[in-house]
Amino acid sequence: SWTPSVYAVTNLVFSDEFNGTTIDTTKWGFDLGNSSSIAGSGWGNGELESYQSGSNNAYVSNGILHIVALNNLGGGNPYSSARLRTLGLFSMTYGRVEFRAKLPAHGPYWWPALWMLAANYSDGSNGVSNEWPRCGEIDVMESEGSTPGDVLGTIHKDSSGNPGVDQAVGGQFNFPAGDGTTNFHTYVLSWSSNSISFAVDSNVAYKTITSWSSSTGPFPAPFNHPFYIIMNLAVGGQFVGNPGTATINASSTFPAEMDIDRSEE
């Protein structure tokens, strides 16, 4: 069994233990397809999956949320998977975020992510500050299937000296020998008005960021407004080297699962 860590934040504002038999639609919605009206095709990252909401790609069983990638669609985007999000249902500014998750094995081109995006993210029609990366993104955990011994925690934004251009700042956590992302671990974000830090399984941060600049306003912009939660398992894309489907198929065992046994903020 797992016991949550003790920490200073006591006002629990959102939690899902996935103890029921279905996904709680008062907490989670779905992004669908392979393109975004804002980010473009491949979700702006060259991803090769099409996100679905069916029970073969996302379901709750035995206290676990299963997000499953399948090679079942054919065509140029032959993979199905799921991308859950709290947009319109829950967002937050500052606090502690924990995900307890187990990432997929047997595929170097899996791209699982547990992350947060500005709730005002748009195509800029409501103001240039809503465009990515100006709006801000917090990646609590992302990992390449080829490196199950480490994970990344990253913030994305622009800088006052280079408006509209992504400036990623973050760190990498390396698991000890014999452990890794294919076991359950707790991925932690601690987010305040003057600090963003990332940790794994403890309150000891492997990366703490205490200063940054932005074209959208003085520090701590853009990380001073509401963000919503996203959990997804991508296949392929820029982050894992833009492999083709033949390359992915030759080196991957489907289905692939990212399992979540709790999400808490």
Side-chain angles (χ1 to χ4, degrees):
S1 64
W2 175 76
T3 303
S5 53
V6 176
Y7 48 90
V9 179
T10 58
N11 180 28
L12 182 65
V13 293
F14 180 96
S15 180
D16 199 338
E17 303 284 345
F18 305 108
N19 287 333
T21 57
T22 61
I23 294 169
D24 187 343
T25 56
T26 69
K27 297 178 178 179
W28 303 102
F30 289 88
D31 284 319
L32 300 174
N34 179 257
S35 66
S36 160
S37 61
I38 300 171
S41 63
W43 296 96
N45 302 308
E47 300 169 30
L48 296 177
E49 79 292 325
S50 179
Y51 288 124
Q52 311 288 312
S53 60
S55 59
N56 59 335
N57 291 117
Y59 65 94
V60 171
S61 176
N62 297 321
I64 302 290
L65 169 67
H66 302 259
I67 298 176
V68 184
L70 298 168
N71 184 4
N72 65 334
L73 297 181
N77 303 114
Y79 313 111
S80 65
S81 188
R83 174 162 147 160
L84 282 73
R85 43 94 170 134
T86 65
L87 181 63
L89 301 170
F90 172 77
S91 62
M92 61 183 288
T93 308
Y94 308 136
R96 180 184 177 97
V97 178
E98 293 189 359
F99 300 94
R100 185 160 171 80
K102 177 181 180 181
L103 309 188
H106 311 301
Y109 304 114
W110 313 136
W111 180 4
L114 305 168
W115 54 296
M116 303 182 74
L117 187 61
N120 69 348
Y121 173 48
S122 77
D123 59 7
S125 59
N126 295 321
V128 71
S129 65
N130 296 356
E131 295 177 344
W132 191 93
R134 286 182 173 94
C135 64
E137 173 183 324
I138 304 173
D139 300 330
V140 182
M141 184 291 304
E142 63 181 340
S143 179
E144 299 180 52
S146 60
T147 55
D150 57 64
V151 295
L152 303 175
T154 311
I155 62 172
H156 292 271
K157 57 178 188 58
D158 72 353
S159 66
S160 55
N162 205 1
V165 176
D166 181 31
Q167 183 182 64
V169 182
Q172 177 174 300
F173 178 84
N174 302 104
F175 288 99
D179 199 357
T181 62
T182 57
N183 295 321
F184 273 106
H185 291 283
T186 303
Y187 300 101
V188 183
L189 164 71
S190 296
W191 171 25
S192 71
S193 61
N194 59 8
S195 175
I196 292 175
S197 68
F198 303 97
V200 177
D201 291 334
S202 76
N203 292 317
V204 179
Y206 67 85
K207 180 65 177 181
T208 299
I209 307 161
T210 57
S211 65
W212 56 83
S213 72
S214 166
S215 71
T216 62
F219 179 86
F223 303 105
N224 58 351
H225 56 239
F227 280 57
Y228 69 97
I229 301 163
I230 304 172
M231 306 186 296
N232 69 284
L233 174 55
V235 184
Q238 298 167 7
F239 183 65
V240 293
N242 278 327
T245 56
T247 299
I248 294 172
N249 294 345
S251 60
S252 306
T253 302
F254 289 88
E257 285 197 22
M258 175 166 68
D259 295 339
I260 315 289
D261 86 349
R262 69 189 295 273
S263 174
E264 185 170 283
E265 288 73 42

